Amino acid sequence: MLGSLSPSWDPPALNPLPRLLIPSGGSSWSDRDLSLHPSAPDTFPGSSPSTLSDSMEGTSATTPLSPTIRAGWLDKNPPQGSYIYQKRWVKLDADYLRYFDSEKDTYSKRLIPVSSISRVSSIGDQKFEVVTNNRNFVFRAENDADRNEWIRTLQEIAEERKGKAPERTLMSLATDSATELANKSGFLELRGFKHKLFVVVSEDKVFLYKNAEDYQLGIGITYIEMNVGNVKEVDRRGFDLTTPYRIFSFSADSEQEKEEWVEAMQQSITEALSNSEVAERIWAVESNRFCADCGSPKPDWASINLCVVICKRCAGEHRGLGPGITKVRSLKMDRKVWTEELIELFQQFGNMMANQFWAANVPPSEAISPSSGSQERRRFLIAKYREGKYRHYHPLFGNQEELNRALCAAVTTSDLAETQALLFCGASVTCDTGDPQCPTPLALAERSGQRLQMEFLLHNKTSEPPRLEMVCSEEKPYSVHLPSITHNGFLYKTPSMVKPISERKGPEEFSRRWCTLQDGVLSYYENNRNTVPNGEIRVEEIVCLVNNPLHAHGIESTFEVYTEADRLYLFGLESPDSAREWLKSIAKSFVHPCAEGLLALDFERLGRLHYKGGLTLEHAQEGWFALVGSTLHVCSEDGCRQEPLQLRKLQELSIQGDHEVLVLVERRRTLYIQGERKLDFLGWVHAIQKAAGSSGDTLSEQQLTESDVPLLVDRCIDYITQCGLTSEGIYRKSGQNSKTTSLLEALQRDARRVRLKEGEHQVDDVANTLKRFFRDLGDGLFTRRWAPDWLWATALEDEEAKVGEYRQLLAALPPVNRATLKALINHLFRYGIDPSGISLSTVESLVALGCGRALILWFMSPARKGEGFGVKLCLMPSVVSCAGVEAAGRLWGRSLDRIPHRIQCFSGENQMTTHNLAIVFGPTLFQTDGKDYKAGRVVEDLISHYVEIFNVNDQEMKKQQDEITAIMKMREASSSGTQQAGDFICTVYLEEKKTETEQHVKIPATMTAEELTFEILDRRKIVMKEKDYWSCFEVNEREEAERPLHYSEKVLPILHCLGTESYLVVKKQMSMENMLIYLASRVGDCKHGMMKFREERNLLGLGLSTGFHDRYFILSHSWLRLYKEVRSHKPEKEWPVRNLKVYLGVKKKLRPPTCWGFTVFYENEKHEKQQWYLCCDTQADLREWFATFLQVQNGGSLWPLEHPKMRVAQPQQDARLGNISLIPLRGNESEMRNSVAAFATDPLTLLRNV
């Protein structure tokens, strides 16, 4: 029936009221016959049911194909030669002549390609005729002048189009290749039309035709710009294409057809939203406008190491060759990779130069065309690139030494064709040049200033040269033979997908298929009687296998298969055991033998990825990964099984580089997982993020620290330690419920991302969050199994027996519960303890651990007010001996009982004694109603006997002692009115970042870097010698750089700006003496010279710039200026020196040309930030530039004029006693302090007064 339609037929009437036309033949249809009578019209709010034109009305096309050249009202001759003309709004642009029902319509009734217009002529009565290759269109203007203007404009545009080089566009294709540009084409039902339309999805548009014949002739109805489109599945066969102007409701013949249409339209939307700037620049080269392999027009993919531009279909086959042969990227979507140098490389190289090498000897019988199928393409590309069958052999082929020597010479010139021929005929990109200054060809190219040679070498660092011997295993990306596994049976399957599965698939979306795994191919058939498969998956193309949780979809057990071509296949079975057998068989068939150890794991996700890690950050390597629960197992390409990553213990988990690198940071290592293929990489990212987060309400399911304490608990305790020790009623007062709920949800969602800051978070809210976490904890901190036993132990009257029982119960707890309980009790023991509640056995344990001085400092300081216990403590021989005042103790023992002395710890300020804390935390930790006193008694006992029950060792106690000392000093300063607002306790390291070098220091607002340095050295009793330049450094681990703080720089503002990847360390500044000598001998205060420069982002803003470039710099007292070369008069960039922060070092992954580099951060008054990198040729250059930076930024002073040893004297602490009075004497407090000071100076003073 469709074939009998007249070629002059118009689509249904696009006006609110359909016009009645007079038919001129029996085979023709009137507009009435084709008018819309939708049963469920697509309308927008406020509209009424309408015809196609009503719902298509809009302002104008959002992205017109070309600017409108002429537009106006014309009368159009109706179909079949009727004498009744129809008024149409006609638009002409460089590509199409279109007519509409009104000037407000977005979608046309007909479009005529300008390229198909052969003649335009006048036929009288204000009429003119547009003659195309297949039919004529007659229009009538209002007057002769208007008609003549239309004729003239149409003739000019048509002639101009013919004069241009012929371009293959969708609407002007010859019949034999008309379907090649279409991503998808075929018949679909469109609501509002009685008959099916021929629909074509092409690049970023969807075209509608009356039938296939019109498509072949190039005469369409309209096109839809997909940059404003959205596709949504409606039912088993239906889907909607929604635009701001109209909803197109399509219906396919089958569910599988619908899936294919939806997929094609979604790809078209992606294409429409992509950036074509890079593509247009590369297409400017004539040979790049057609695929280097099959000749398809406007190829929008490329192999960045082979420097060829290819079409989408060839790109899919390129991926199958593996990244060692070809690295495929999109011209429009992979914006990050397209640096200025790479674009220039493609512009200079071009498909023509590439094919002069790769396709020099292609027999016509083996060449492929745009219409070639997948098998033909794969066979051709394997022969072309993997085997190098058609390449132009270099005369030195076979002589490795000569090839390498010739490569070293070629890279110093601009001859890219020679470099290409040498490299892909066997020359080694990392060969030894014999020049110690430039050991590799890349270094030679850099020294010679050959940017494009450098770019070409960088992208081919890991490329494999073609090998003819691979013909025997041409389909295998591995050099080893994968095991042959056989399995078959029925599986439920959905159509393949190109996007991650975001919604649950219902059982009706699965089709039952007979599947076989044999000879390295997974095939699926309509049924077990068919011999021709519906499709197949080659096992060497499988990159990932996913075992979904039960009931994830409508079929009980499902699994996913990802392939190199970025396609996802979903299979399912009703039997979990059968599904497990399929998983096992597929995994065995595609996993490399080097990683077969991973097959024994009960994995959730298994596959291969490219990654960098350890000491090999320069080159990415392929590895096999298996995700099991919250553990990620890694096996490198050489078969070495690495230590698994505990994802819940990661210090950092982030995505960098336009979502192409997943960074996993552990305490001892960093892993960079690269996204070679988008689909399975997105799956890995989502799975790892989920596994690294909290997955339940039990302790073992939380994000953890290295010591197995939930990160949520650790963050809250740290914050309260810093900001809430003196908060009255801490833990007893409730915070705001809404803020507590919000904070708890944020911490449970991802505690790594939450930073608790003073001013933003209230102490009571954080304390309440911690309590609520423990109260809501599934299974509780003490667990349901052991909680009754803990409560029972409180009834034991013998303290030793009770402590022994507690220790046994502690050992029975799960490791995470045990570590969490210890961290919490440690927190309460240190900061909320009431001294009167400490057992003598605990005191003796503390003394035995060498903490007698700390105890006396704690309990006997003049600021303390208490009775009894402090006196007894001082009388204990072990304490007195530890404090070094045993003789004095014997002399004073007779009068100790008469001395009034009261004890006060933090509980004196926050009013939370051990008993009060037990009242709060007992019911919370045991999740009871608070009526049973036993819960509080357990907590009180744990605090009082902390050292004994938790077996605290010397190292732990020493660390806690330092923290207590720092906090006590801060509290004493506060009580004497000397504490400054904003005092802060932080961790500073001595010489290197190790646990044993940690120092916890109070940082007042006025403390300078010099004072902090002296504080650390004094604690460790380190004496500064002559020419020892000790300094405090800010270290940025992420940037692999460090900055020595100027001696007068305030420390507290720096601490507030430090990220989690930064810390402070005190160490010697080895280059300071040389810098001072240089500054003393130089003339003037400026510095100029050449340095190698690299910006964080390139000029296009498309990611990291590739390589360092020579630039001339001038550093004056106020500005740093960059010039392209020495002779340049105008700087390319300039920055005020006061806004710069200069760090020593450049991160290795940037491949700095020398090891003497800076990382420079710039931030202006508007908080706009920049970052770049500088490299010097020698270490002396580095010292001179850095010294000048420091001198300019600090007014000429690098080091204090007064030698550190000659600084203003500070009260020296006695090595044994400290500076706090230890022994109470007769008289008031002032007299006692004076007496102790005298005793510290001369112990015999007291004896003289006896």
Side-chain angles (χ1 to χ4, degrees):
M1 180 67 74
L2 286 173
S4 66
L5 291 175
S6 168
S8 59
W9 173 86
D10 266 354
L14 300 182
N15 284 338
L17 295 176
R19 293 176 174 81
L20 302 181
L21 301 180
I22 303 174
S24 62
S27 64
S28 66
W29 294 349
S30 69
D31 275 3
R32 169 179 284 182
D33 295 326
L34 295 171
S35 64
L36 286 175
H37 298 287
S39 57
D42 296 317
T43 59
F44 292 98
S47 65
S48 58
S50 60
T51 62
L52 177 64
S53 70
D54 296 323
S55 55
M56 282 184 174
E57 288 182 6
T59 54
S60 63
T62 306
T63 310
L65 200 64
S66 299
T68 300
I69 297 171
R70 185 173 178 80
W73 287 103
L74 292 174
D75 293 329
K76 178 189 170 293
N77 193 32
Q80 305 302 326
S82 171
Y83 293 104
I84 302 176
Y85 278 81
Q86 299 166 329
K87 200 171 188 64
R88 296 284 184 258
W89 178 257
V90 183
K91 280 185 181 180
L92 172 66
D93 58 44
D95 296 304
Y96 299 107
L97 177 66
R98 297 177 291 163
Y99 56 86
F100 307 77
D101 270 335
S102 85
E103 69 271 28
K104 294 182 179 180
D105 287 354
T106 299
Y107 302 110
S108 62
K109 288 176 63 69
R110 180 72 74 187
L111 52 84
I112 306 162
V114 171
S115 58
S116 69
I117 299 176
S118 58
R119 180 168 52 87
V120 183
S121 60
S122 171
I123 56 175
D125 296 330
Q126 295 92 42
K127 292 186 291 185
F128 64 93
E129 185 178 36
V130 178
V131 181
T132 68
N133 300 331
N134 50 78
R135 66 165 286 187
N136 301 343
F137 297 86
V138 177
F139 296 93
R140 184 174 66 189
E142 291 185 359
N143 51 60
D144 288 341
D146 192 24
R147 176 198 62 186
N148 294 338
E149 186 63 26
W150 272 104
I151 293 173
R152 185 188 63 78
T153 305
L154 281 166
Q155 287 175 339
E156 286 180 359
I157 296 300
E159 288 300 321
E160 183 182 343
R161 190 61 179 261
K162 290 176 182 177
K164 289 183 178 180
E167 280 189 40
R168 290 162 37 127
T169 62
L170 185 70
M171 308 301 280
S172 61
L173 291 172
T175 304
D176 60 348
S177 62
T179 61
E180 290 313 314
L181 280 180
N183 300 343
K184 174 74 176 172
S185 62
F187 285 98
L188 284 174
E189 295 177 11
L190 176 60
R191 185 182 299 171
F193 282 79
K194 292 182 179 179
H195 302 278
K196 292 182 179 180
L197 297 182
F198 194 79
V199 182
V200 176
V201 181
S202 175
E203 295 183 341
D204 59 349
K205 297 177 183 63
V206 173
F207 292 84
L208 304 182
Y209 300 86
K210 188 183 77 170
N211 52 43
E213 288 77 11
D214 274 10
Y215 169 52
Q216 298 290 344
L217 296 172
I219 305 297
I221 298 173
T222 191
Y223 64 81
I224 305 161
E225 295 277 5
M226 296 299 278
N227 63 333
V228 295
N230 184 43
V231 185
K232 181 179 180 181
E233 298 183 37
V234 177
D235 51 42
R236 291 195 63 178
R237 296 193 302 114
F239 62 97
D240 287 347
L241 172 56
T242 305
T243 73
Y245 322 108
R246 150 86 177 177
I247 297 177
F248 297 86
S249 295
F250 293 104
S251 183
D253 290 336
S254 66
E255 184 181 357
Q256 184 170 349
E257 273 286 304
K258 178 204 70 174
E259 295 282 354
E260 293 174 3
W261 277 107
V262 170
E263 178 185 320
M265 290 190 182
Q266 286 173 339
Q267 288 181 338
S268 180
I269 292 172
T270 302
E271 175 80 9
L273 296 176
S274 61
N275 189 341
S276 60
E277 177 190 357
V278 172
E280 294 294 342
R281 292 181 63 185
I282 289 178
W283 288 342
V285 178
E286 179 69 24
S287 64
N288 290 344
R289 297 177 190 170
F290 300 92
C291 176
D293 297 325
C294 73
S296 293
K298 288 192 174 180
D300 53 4
W301 292 81
S303 170
I304 58 174
N305 65 310
L306 301 176
C307 292
V308 292
V309 189
I310 53 179
C311 67
K312 182 179 179 180
R313 296 185 68 187
C314 287
E317 301 303 330
H318 267 257
R319 284 199 187 95
L321 298 177
I325 304 295
T326 173
K327 298 176 176 66
V328 182
R329 295 291 185 273
S330 170
L331 297 184
K332 296 182 177 179
M333 292 177 285
D334 293 321
R335 291 184 292 175
K336 173 180 177 274
V337 74
W338 291 103
T339 60
E340 186 66 27
E341 288 84 356
L342 185 57
I343 294 173
E344 289 181 27
L345 182 63
F346 269 75
Q347 289 175 328
Q348 183 165 331
F349 220 101
N351 284 352
M352 180 179 290
M353 185 188 295
N355 275 337
Q356 285 174 354
F357 172 76
W358 289 107
N361 304 294
V362 180
S365 60
E366 296 184 21
I368 59 174
S369 67
S371 60
S372 299
S374 297
Q375 295 288 349
E376 293 177 86
R377 291 175 193 268
R378 184 181 301 121
R379 191 178 302 111
F380 175 76
L381 296 179
I382 288 172
K384 183 178 180 180
Y385 298 114
R386 185 183 290 174
E387 300 170 10
K389 182 178 178 181
Y390 314 123
R391 61 184 158 167
H392 178 78
Y393 285 92
H394 194 278
L396 298 176
F397 178 75
N399 189 332
Q400 187 67 51
E401 186 176 343
E402 291 298 325
L403 283 171
N404 291 345
R405 189 176 293 113
L407 177 64
C408 293
V411 297
T412 62
T413 72
S414 59
D415 193 348
L416 291 166
E418 176 71 3
T419 302
Q420 172 192 238
L422 289 165
L423 198 59
F424 292 111
C425 282
S428 173
V429 73
T430 57
C431 66
D432 185 8
T433 64
D435 185 346
Q437 296 298 320
C438 300
T440 65
L442 180 62
L444 287 174
E446 183 178 7
R447 186 174 66 182
S448 303
Q450 297 295 333
R451 295 185 305 118
L452 301 188
Q453 292 278 14
M454 289 174 59
E455 189 73 13
F456 186 70
L457 293 173
L458 282 170
H459 288 294
N460 282 287
K461 268 194 167 184
T462 58
S463 296
E464 303 170 10
R467 294 189 179 91
L468 281 172
E469 62 270 18
M470 296 182 72
V471 67
C472 298
S473 58
E474 62 178 20
E475 301 294 334
K476 301 282 186 181
Y478 306 116
S479 58
V480 299
H481 182 68
L482 291 174
S484 179
I485 307 296
T486 302
H487 200 74
N488 60 64
F490 279 103
L491 286 173
Y492 291 93
K493 177 187 176 296
T494 64
S496 63
M497 292 158 270
V498 294
K499 288 189 175 181
I501 302 173
S502 57
E503 296 179 353
R504 187 177 187 271
K505 298 288 184 182
E508 70 279 358
E509 299 182 70
F510 288 83
S511 302
R512 193 167 182 259
R513 296 286 182 262
W514 176 258
C515 299
T516 64
L517 177 61
Q518 190 171 5
D519 297 329
V521 179
L522 175 60
S523 306
Y524 46 94
Y525 302 78
E526 192 71 26
N527 53 57
N528 57 353
R529 296 184 299 275
N530 283 27
T531 57
V532 179
N534 290 5
E536 61 182 28
I537 305 168
R538 306 185 68 83
V539 295
E540 70 267 15
E541 295 178 356
I542 298 176
V543 295
C544 184
L545 188 61
V546 178
N547 182 15
N548 288 323
L550 293 177
H551 306 291
H553 298 287
I555 303 297
E556 182 175 2
S557 298
T558 56
F559 60 90
E560 301 168 15
V561 177
Y562 293 77
T563 67
E564 281 274 8
D566 258 356
R567 298 197 76 85
L568 163 59
Y569 298 82
L570 178 62
F571 296 92
L573 272 172
E574 293 294 352
S575 168
D577 292 337
S578 300
R580 196 175 298 110
E581 286 298 318
W582 270 104
L583 273 169
K584 184 178 178 181
S585 299
I586 296 173
K588 283 184 178 179
S589 67
F590 90 95
V591 172
H592 196 283
C594 72
E596 60 183 359
L598 301 179
L599 298 176
L601 303 172
D602 187 17
F603 61 85
E604 299 163 23
R605 183 176 288 262
L606 174 69
R608 52 187 167 96
L609 292 164
H610 280 78
Y611 74 100
K612 295 180 181 179
L615 300 177
T616 58
L617 294 180
E618 186 174 357
H619 302 294
Q621 58 178 320
E622 188 173 71
W624 290 87
F625 291 74
L627 180 60
V628 183
S630 62
T631 304
L632 184 65
H633 298 264
V634 185
C635 186
S636 60
E637 55 190 356
D638 57 5
C640 179
R641 186 87 170 267
Q642 299 185 19
E643 182 183 352
L645 282 87
Q646 303 300 326
L647 298 179
R648 290 204 182 107
K649 292 186 178 182
L650 291 179
Q651 293 180 341
E652 179 188 338
L653 178 61
S654 60
I655 302 175
Q656 298 178 357
D658 290 346
H659 306 284
E660 289 191 359
V661 179
L662 181 65
V663 182
L664 298 88
V665 181
E666 265 194 331
R667 186 177 179 86
R668 297 176 298 277
R669 59 175 167 167
T670 301
L671 201 66
Y672 302 86
I673 299 178
Q674 298 181 344
E676 289 288 328
R677 298 162 300 272
K678 289 189 176 180
L679 189 59
D680 75 298
F681 179 67
L682 287 175
W684 276 105
V685 169
H686 176 73
I688 290 175
Q689 287 176 334
K690 183 178 179 181
S694 300
S695 60
D697 60 356
T698 63
L699 282 175
S700 60
E701 295 173 312
Q702 308 300 311
Q703 292 173 319
L704 303 173
T705 65
E706 189 71 19
S707 56
D708 279 338
V709 177
L711 197 55
L712 182 154
V713 174
D714 187 69
R715 288 279 160 87
C716 291
I717 287 177
D718 279 352
Y719 180 78
I720 294 168
T721 300
Q722 295 285 353
C723 308
L725 295 179
T726 59
S727 176
E728 186 174 341
I730 182 71
Y731 288 122
R732 195 161 191 169
K733 292 192 300 184
S734 296
Q736 293 186 28
N737 189 56
S738 59
K739 291 184 178 181
T740 298
T741 302
S742 176
L743 179 58
L744 182 59
E745 289 176 354
L747 286 166
Q748 288 180 323
R749 192 181 309 116
D750 190 355
R752 294 187 196 90
R753 295 180 178 272
V754 178
R755 294 288 178 265
L756 299 175
K757 297 180 181 178
E758 191 171 8
E760 292 184 19
H761 301 91
Q762 299 302 315
V763 171
D764 291 330
D765 295 333
V766 177
N768 207 35
T769 298
L770 182 63
K771 290 190 298 178
R772 186 179 296 184
F773 171 74
F774 282 118
R775 178 169 285 281
D776 297 342
L777 200 60
D779 200 35
L781 178 60
F782 292 95
T783 74
R784 295 189 184 94
R785 164 68 180 85
W786 296 106
D789 294 351
W790 283 89
L791 297 174
W792 171 84
T794 60
L796 296 175
E797 295 182 0
D798 185 278
E799 287 293 313
E800 290 188 10
K802 186 193 295 186
V803 170
E805 183 67 21
Y806 283 147
R807 294 184 66 168
Q808 291 181 18
L809 292 171
L810 181 66
L813 290 178
V816 177
N817 295 56
R818 187 162 59 247
T820 306
L821 180 60
K822 181 177 181 180
L824 178 63
I825 300 301
N826 173 46
H827 169 62
L828 302 179
F829 170 79
R830 288 183 295 169
Y831 305 128
I833 190 170
D834 176 5
S836 62
I838 303 182
S839 64
L840 277 179
S841 58
T842 297
V843 172
E844 290 173 345
S845 299
L846 288 168
V847 173
L849 291 172
C851 301
R853 188 175 75 86
L855 285 170
I856 298 176
L857 180 151
W858 190 357
F859 295 129
M860 300 305 298
S861 75
R864 306 289 173 258
K865 299 176 182 178
E867 297 264 357
F869 189 81
V871 176
K872 295 176 183 177
L873 177 65
C874 290
L875 285 174
M876 289 176 57
S878 54
V879 176
V880 174
S881 176
C882 177
V885 290
E886 189 172 0
R890 286 196 298 270
L891 291 172
W892 302 338
R894 292 169 298 193
S895 57
L896 284 176
D897 292 332
R898 299 193 300 270
I899 299 173
H901 194 85
R902 290 177 296 170
I903 300 173
Q904 175 182 305
C905 191
F906 292 120
S907 58
E909 300 176 43
N910 58 40
Q911 301 301 313
M912 295 301 291
T913 62
T914 302
H915 182 68
N916 289 341
L917 287 171
I919 292 174
V920 172
F921 275 96
T924 297
L925 301 183
F926 282 92
Q927 300 174 339
T928 62
D929 55 9
K931 295 179 180 179
D932 188 351
Y933 71 93
K934 294 179 182 177
R937 184 64 182 275
V938 171
V939 175
E940 193 168 357
D941 287 342
L942 289 174
I943 296 174
S944 300
H945 298 280
Y946 165 70
V947 176
E948 305 160 80
I949 295 174
F950 292 94
N951 195 26
V952 180
N953 58 36
D954 294 22
Q955 186 176 356
E956 289 179 87
M957 209 61 224
K958 178 65 171 62
K959 181 179 178 181
Q960 293 175 23
Q961 177 187 347
D962 291 341
E963 292 177 2
I964 291 172
T965 303
I967 294 170
M968 295 299 297
K969 287 183 178 180
M970 182 177 69
R971 298 274 70 80
E972 288 169 5
S974 176
S975 64
S976 62
T978 61
Q979 183 187 22
Q980 301 294 320
D983 282 6
F984 191 81
I985 298 174
C986 80
T987 300
V988 182
Y989 298 90
L990 180 62
E991 296 192 295
E992 57 182 330
K993 187 180 180 182
K994 290 184 177 179
T995 303
E996 54 268 27
T997 66
E998 287 182 356
Q999 295 289 312
H1000 302 280
V1001 187
K1002 180 203 71 173
I1003 308 294
T1006 57
M1007 177 175 274
T1008 64
E1010 182 185 27
E1011 291 169 345
L1012 176 59
T1013 302
F1014 291 144
E1015 173 78 13
I1016 299 297
L1017 296 180
D1018 286 345
R1019 286 188 178 198
R1020 289 301 182 96
K1021 305 298 182 290
I1022 296 175
V1023 179
M1024 292 184 67
K1025 300 177 182 178
E1026 190 71 29
K1027 296 185 179 180
D1028 274 357
Y1029 297 94
W1030 287 89
S1031 299
C1032 183
F1033 286 76
E1034 174 195 343
V1035 181
N1036 189 321
E1037 291 180 300
R1038 180 188 294 277
E1039 294 295 334
E1040 301 172 29
E1042 63 183 16
R1043 178 177 74 93
L1045 305 186
H1046 189 258
Y1047 67 88
S1048 64
E1049 199 168 348
K1050 295 292 190 296
V1051 179
L1052 192 60
I1054 297 171
L1055 289 176
H1056 287 311
C1057 297
L1058 287 184
T1060 56
E1061 69 281 355
S1062 300
Y1063 60 91
L1064 297 181
V1065 61
V1066 171
K1067 60 181 181 179
K1068 291 181 182 178
Q1069 193 171 168
M1070 308 305 294
S1071 58
M1072 177 56 72
E1073 183 177 5
N1074 289 324
M1075 288 195 293
L1076 293 173
I1077 293 172
Y1078 163 73
L1079 292 175
S1081 61
R1082 58 177 287 190
V1083 178
D1085 58 352
C1086 293
K1087 170 75 177 168
H1088 58 87
M1090 299 294 294
M1091 285 193 285
K1092 300 185 188 304
F1093 171 75
R1094 173 175 177 151
E1095 284 186 287
E1096 183 186 24
R1097 290 190 171 273
N1098 66 10
L1099 298 178
L1100 286 178
L1102 302 179
L1104 282 171
S1105 173
T1106 301
F1108 287 75
H1109 309 292
D1110 286 327
R1111 291 292 184 268
Y1112 187 73
F1113 287 85
I1114 296 180
L1115 175 61
S1116 67
H1117 66 280
S1118 57
W1119 292 92
L1120 173 66
R1121 293 185 171 92
L1122 176 151
Y1123 298 82
K1124 188 170 184 179
E1125 53 188 16
V1126 178
R1127 297 187 298 274
S1128 300
H1129 297 289
K1130 185 177 179 181
E1132 288 186 341
K1133 299 176 185 292
E1134 59 180 10
W1135 305 273
V1137 175
R1138 68 176 181 275
N1139 295 96
L1140 301 181
K1141 272 192 176 182
V1142 185
Y1143 291 74
L1144 293 167
V1146 177
K1147 52 188 173 186
K1148 295 183 180 65
K1149 76 172 185 178
L1150 298 181
R1151 298 187 291 271
T1154 71
C1155 58
W1156 302 296
F1158 306 104
T1159 298
V1160 184
F1161 294 88
Y1162 168 75
E1163 182 175 0
N1164 62 17
E1165 288 74 11
K1166 298 180 181 179
H1167 301 291
E1168 297 170 339
K1169 298 180 180 181
Q1170 296 178 22
Q1171 179 178 343
W1172 64 90
Y1173 309 92
L1174 303 172
C1175 278
C1176 302
D1177 291 331
T1178 67
Q1179 187 176 10
D1181 286 343
L1182 175 75
R1183 282 198 299 263
E1184 292 173 7
W1185 276 105
F1186 193 62
T1188 309
F1189 270 117
L1190 294 179
Q1191 183 189 44
V1192 169
Q1193 288 186 320
N1194 298 287
S1197 174
L1198 258 68
W1199 197 253
L1201 297 177
E1202 180 185 7
H1203 193 275
K1205 289 194 295 185
M1206 302 300 293
R1207 70 186 189 276
V1208 178
Q1210 296 180 355
Q1212 296 295 315
Q1213 297 182 11
D1214 185 272
R1216 300 161 298 155
L1217 309 181
N1219 61 355
I1220 308 263
S1221 61
L1222 303 180
I1223 302 174
L1225 303 176
R1226 291 186 287 279
N1228 58 33
E1229 281 192 357
S1230 176
E1231 291 173 349
M1232 288 191 292
R1233 282 198 295 271
N1234 293 334
S1235 298
V1236 172
F1239 173 75
T1241 304
D1242 182 5
L1244 299 179
T1245 301
L1246 295 174
L1247 298 177
R1248 297 191 187 101
N1249 296 330
V1250 174

